[in-house]
Amino acid sequence: MAKPFDATTKHLIEARPKDWLDYLGLPASSVTVIDADLSTVTADADKVLMVTADPPYIAHFDLQAGYKPRDNERFMVYNVLLGYQHNVLVRTVIFLLRPAADGPLMREPLQRGFPDKLPYLHFEFRVVRVWEQSVQTFLQGGLGTLPLAPISAVEPGALPAVIRQMEQRIETEAPDDAGELWASTYILMGLRYPPQVAAQLLKGVRAMKESSTYQEIKNEGRAEGRAEGRDEGRTEGRAEGRSEGRAEGRFEGKTEEARGVLLRLGSKRFGEPDSRVEAYLNSLNQIETLELLIDRILDVESWGELLQAG
């Protein structure tokens, strides 16, 4: 069954594919992102790169935030089908983004065989446990992997310095892409830190003001909603009207802001919602329900799972 896109990490690979190969120490004279659709089994690998090297090969990346039984078999299926489809060798690399994605199947090759016989199948894949990687390898590597720095092997107390180093690099090397890089950083930080912590750490980043995604996410959005509610309440003219109007305006402002955050984050992670999902989200008027869905968005893999969880 196809795994839904994790739009954030896929975008980072698409935008700067060679940065990821360089991080892994894999050879590459040139690299091209290719179609990951494996329609023969209705499978969709996370990200697939065609790499010019000696010999040429495909780099198949899969980024995991959760652990599922038989994932190793899925990786093997993608590897074999990609090799068959393109008639080239395939390297499979699994990036585990948090400890919850780790498990026994991630620690040994996949083997199949009959009792008392040599295995007839042996499949190896490389695993990168991001939380065990040195933060310096990300801070000094390519910009495509830079947003992984805050979820690598870094102590919480060192995070402000890490964010400052990231800001310096992004402002110097890619000011036009700053908004997307910081939005990706914020979303990935949600795998390890509470939203309030991530928002506070990134609050002073100047380029955040350029990121429409982050503007929808950060806490200032709720403050703006409350301010709009107070303005609407004041137009009522009387004390009672102002009080009721402010309360109603604050509620509506917070609800609309939360719905906007949910749609923005969900579209980044799962792709644009279909008309039924969008209609359902628009029907939700309880701020608690919307906030619950936002909190769970990194723990599920599709709009359907998210709404079922809510």
Side-chain angles (χ1 to χ4, degrees):
M1 184 176 180
K3 176 185 175 181
F5 285 114
D6 184 337
T8 298
T9 48
K10 288 185 178 184
H11 173 75
L12 290 173
I13 297 172
E14 272 188 357
R16 293 177 173 84
K18 195 171 185 301
D19 289 352
W20 292 74
L21 297 172
D22 290 344
Y23 172 77
L24 295 166
L26 296 177
S29 56
S30 65
V31 56
T32 305
V33 179
I34 62 174
D35 186 4
D37 178 47
L38 303 171
S39 57
T40 54
V41 291
T42 63
D44 186 20
D46 264 11
K47 189 53 60 181
V48 179
L49 309 176
M50 180 67 74
V51 183
T52 301
D54 186 17
Y57 65 93
I58 282 175
H60 160 224
F61 295 153
D62 213 299
L63 297 105
Q64 299 288 306
Y67 179 78
K68 290 183 178 179
R70 302 187 69 185
D71 258 350
N72 57 348
E73 295 181 17
R74 178 170 61 84
F75 304 150
M76 178 196 66
V77 169
Y78 292 168
N79 182 290
V80 172
L81 287 174
L82 286 166
Y84 179 78
Q85 188 177 77
H86 297 278
N87 192 27
V88 67
L89 297 172
V90 180
R91 301 177 189 265
T92 293
V93 182
I94 312 304
F95 286 83
L96 303 182
L97 300 175
R98 57 179 177 176
D102 205 356
L105 298 181
M106 299 295 105
R107 298 185 176 275
E108 57 187 23
L110 170 63
Q111 293 194 107
R112 291 287 184 271
F114 293 97
D116 303 322
K117 301 290 183 180
L118 291 174
Y120 64 82
L121 185 152
H122 180 94
F123 170 64
E124 295 190 10
F125 52 94
R126 181 173 173 181
V127 176
V128 177
R129 295 171 175 84
V130 174
W131 66 93
E132 295 180 351
Q133 308 304 304
S134 167
V135 67
Q136 291 302 320
T137 62
F138 293 116
L139 290 175
Q140 297 170 8
L143 290 176
T145 56
L146 185 61
L148 295 173
I151 61 170
S152 64
V154 55
E155 293 297 325
L159 279 172
V162 169
I163 298 300
R164 286 195 296 272
Q165 292 181 64
M166 292 176 63
E167 185 174 17
Q168 184 176 16
R169 283 203 60 194
I170 292 172
E171 285 187 355
T172 302
E173 301 174 37
D176 292 341
D177 297 329
E180 284 296 331
L181 287 169
W182 284 117
S184 296
T185 300
Y186 179 83
I187 292 170
L188 288 170
M189 288 179 71
L191 294 171
R192 179 170 175 180
Y193 310 102
Q196 306 93 311
V197 173
Q200 183 63 32
L201 284 166
L202 301 178
K203 185 177 180 180
V205 175
R206 183 171 54 188
M208 273 304 175
K209 295 295 182 181
E210 302 171 8
S211 172
S212 58
T213 301
Y214 185 71
Q215 287 175 357
E216 291 290 341
I217 299 170
K218 62 182 182 176
N219 291 335
E220 291 178 9
R222 290 179 181 173
E224 290 171 4
R226 290 194 295 269
E228 289 175 4
R230 287 193 295 269
D231 289 341
E232 291 178 12
R234 282 194 290 269
T235 62
E236 296 296 325
R238 294 183 179 273
E240 183 178 352
R242 286 198 300 270
S243 177
E244 293 177 356
R246 283 196 296 268
E248 182 178 353
R250 284 195 295 269
F251 175 78
E252 291 179 355
K254 291 179 68 175
T255 301
E256 288 304 314
E257 188 277 335
R259 186 179 292 110
V261 170
L262 181 59
L263 283 167
R264 177 81 64 169
L265 277 177
S267 296
K268 278 273 187 181
R269 182 162 171 78
F270 313 128
E272 293 294 327
D274 60 29
S275 57
R276 290 175 297 177
V277 170
E278 192 165 2
Y280 178 76
L281 295 178
N282 288 332
S283 72
L284 297 177
N285 293 317
Q286 295 294 323
I287 186 68
E288 295 82 2
T289 301
L290 292 165
E291 289 180 340
L292 178 63
L293 293 174
I294 292 171
D295 289 342
R296 291 179 174 177
I297 205 163
L298 290 171
D299 297 325
V300 297
E301 296 183 339
S302 70
W303 282 112
E305 284 187 54
L306 178 66
L307 299 184
Q308 185 178 14

